[in-house]
Amino acid sequence: MRFETFVALRYLAASRRRAHVALIATISVAGLAIGVAALVVSLALLSGFQDRIRRQMMERGAHLRVSPERGAALPDPEAARRALARAPGVQGIEASIEGRAWASDVDGTTTLPVRFRNWDEPAPPGAMDGARISTGVAARLHVAAGDLMRLSSTRTRLSPIGPVPISVVLPVLQSRRAGMLDKSAEVEVSVDTARTLSGVGSGALALEARLADPRTAESAARIVRAALPPGYRVETWRDRNAPLAFALRLEKVVIFVTVALVVVVAALNVVSNIALTVVDKKRDLGVFTSMGAAPSSLQRVYLTLGAAIGLIGTTAGLVLGIGLSIAADRFELVPLPSDVYLMTHVPFAVHPGEVAAVAVFAFATALLAAVLPARAAARLAPGEAIRLSR
């Protein structure tokens, strides 16, 4: 064991014999541990919610989408379909037909602007034509599953009395709660109904594909782009949710910076603890210098002491924070009202990369806090140290 490490560990163990030094050392370690634990729990809380949102991105939306760069419809839908079929892991390709309409009950007492689109998955053979709506739309239209509703497109057709809106009357097949990423005023209809309302008799506005592994969407998109001529836009589920993904990353950065201030404040206790140790051990500094210890060795003694405090506090904080996060998620310690939220408890998710970042930040902060008192100890002359310690 090196001289500096041996002396630093002896100082750390001997601090328990002096009440004031032991108290400040305990506060330093406890403050750092609490700060690290708070940072780990905060990031785990955010990660839990954000993982749920990303999971819904992958489950509710298409993983690849091919749309025209100009115009409303694909110039060659079959060429786009063949290009999508070449991508590895494609499980299904569906046409996307959507538009704007007005939804109302059959009596027309309540009218609501909605966005309609065809179902994400193909309908089973013989399935009844109808509409799937969210509970928000159902509440505003005062309809439920089995009732009839009217969809009136923004398009019109000529009639003996002039242009009239294109409308259809459909039974409500399902009224479901909207997810975190779902648009509340959205109605899902069959492909034939969507074509009638949008006026797209053949072809498609876009083609959407689902992959066996959504994480391979970027590599699959590159293959599709290489197989298509100019005039097509290929987007992944990440591209279509880029603003939301940026907001999630920004939220995590802001929370990290805000809660990290607790660690910075705890580092000030490390400064005071090491500075008090320097004052308490002035005689030792003079003796070490008289015996030939270089100023850099004295500085490394207190840097090692700061590193030891940082290591103990960081380790204790990581164990506490990870343990609390895992327990809170496994035993659902923070419940949520299911009639208000889409989940029954607050989710927590511990990511190893984030834990490593917290550990490096906390340890580096504690080490930097020890630099100032360590430099002060290295500048102390041996004669002055012995004289001031009498």
Side-chain angles (χ1 to χ4, degrees):
M1 183 182 296
R2 297 183 59 181
F3 157 73
E4 296 88 349
T5 305
F6 176 78
V7 174
L9 294 181
R10 286 295 300 269
Y11 283 172
L12 185 62
S15 64
R16 293 175 298 178
R17 302 172 187 172
R18 295 177 178 267
H20 60 288
V21 178
L23 177 61
I24 295 181
T26 304
I27 292 175
S28 302
V29 174
L32 190 60
I34 292 173
V36 170
L39 195 51
V40 170
V41 172
S42 300
L43 292 179
L45 173 63
L46 275 181
S47 297
F49 278 109
Q50 293 182 3
D51 288 350
R52 294 287 183 95
I53 294 174
R54 292 190 183 93
R55 193 177 304 123
Q56 285 205 3
M57 287 183 190
M58 293 185 288
E59 293 175 354
R60 289 288 300 160
H63 303 146
L64 286 178
R65 178 184 173 92
V66 177
S67 58
E69 287 189 349
R70 295 183 179 87
L74 290 170
D76 190 350
E78 289 305 318
R81 188 178 293 272
R82 288 194 298 270
L84 281 173
R86 294 180 185 177
V90 172
Q91 293 182 322
I93 303 174
E94 295 295 328
S96 175
I97 305 169
E98 57 188 20
R100 296 289 180 177
W102 292 90
S104 64
D105 56 349
V106 289
D107 298 329
T109 55
T110 306
T111 305
L112 177 68
V114 296
R115 172 179 173 267
F116 69 86
R117 58 162 293 137
N118 60 300
W119 296 331
D120 292 330
E121 68 277 359
M128 183 178 62
D129 193 9
R132 300 173 184 172
I133 61 177
S134 65
T135 53
V137 175
R140 297 187 63 178
L141 298 181
H142 305 290
V143 295
D147 295 340
L148 296 178
M149 64 175 295
R150 184 186 301 275
L151 281 178
S152 301
S153 173
T154 54
R155 296 178 57 254
T156 59
R157 59 180 176 83
L158 290 176
S159 70
I161 59 174
V164 294
I166 299 175
S167 63
V168 294
V169 176
L170 300 170
V172 178
L173 300 180
Q174 182 183 9
S175 174
R176 57 178 178 81
R177 293 185 62 184
M180 287 182 287
L181 301 178
D182 293 339
K183 299 178 176 63
S184 57
E186 184 174 275
V187 177
E188 294 182 354
V189 296
S190 65
V191 175
D192 294 336
T193 302
R195 290 188 184 278
T196 300
L197 293 173
S198 63
V200 181
S202 60
L205 303 178
L207 289 179
E208 297 179 341
R210 295 188 65 84
L211 303 175
D213 186 2
R215 294 171 295 182
T216 63
E218 295 295 336
S219 59
R222 287 193 293 268
I223 296 175
V224 175
R225 292 190 187 100
L228 285 174
Y232 294 87
R233 180 186 295 109
V234 181
E235 298 174 302
T236 66
W237 63 274
R238 289 190 177 91
D239 297 332
R240 300 186 66 189
N241 296 284
L244 178 58
F246 174 77
L248 296 179
R249 290 194 301 269
L250 181 61
E251 181 183 29
K252 186 166 290 187
V253 170
V254 171
I255 290 298
F256 185 93
V257 173
T258 304
V259 184
L261 294 177
V262 179
V263 178
V264 175
V265 172
L268 299 179
N269 290 326
V270 177
V271 176
S272 61
N273 179 47
I274 298 179
L276 185 60
T277 305
V278 171
V279 174
D280 192 57
K281 302 296 183 181
K282 280 184 178 180
R283 181 185 294 273
D284 294 355
L285 294 177
V287 172
F288 290 149
T289 306
S290 302
M291 296 175 62
S296 58
S297 295
L298 301 180
Q299 184 173 354
R300 283 195 294 269
V301 168
Y302 291 97
L303 287 177
T304 305
L305 181 59
I309 294 175
L311 182 61
I312 296 173
T314 301
T315 303
L318 291 179
V319 172
L320 179 62
I322 294 174
L324 285 176
S325 301
I326 294 176
D329 185 68
R330 183 173 181 178
F331 300 106
E332 302 181 3
L333 299 182
V334 187
L336 293 174
S338 57
D339 56 340
V340 177
Y341 298 95
L342 298 174
M343 54 191 74
T344 58
H345 68 284
V346 175
F348 291 81
V350 179
H351 294 173
E354 296 174 355
V355 173
V358 172
V360 171
F361 171 77
F363 181 76
T365 303
L367 191 59
L368 288 175
V371 171
L372 187 60
R375 293 181 62 182
R379 290 195 300 264
L380 196 62
E384 182 184 3
I386 296 176
R387 179 178 58 84
L388 292 177
S389 60
R390 290 178 180 175

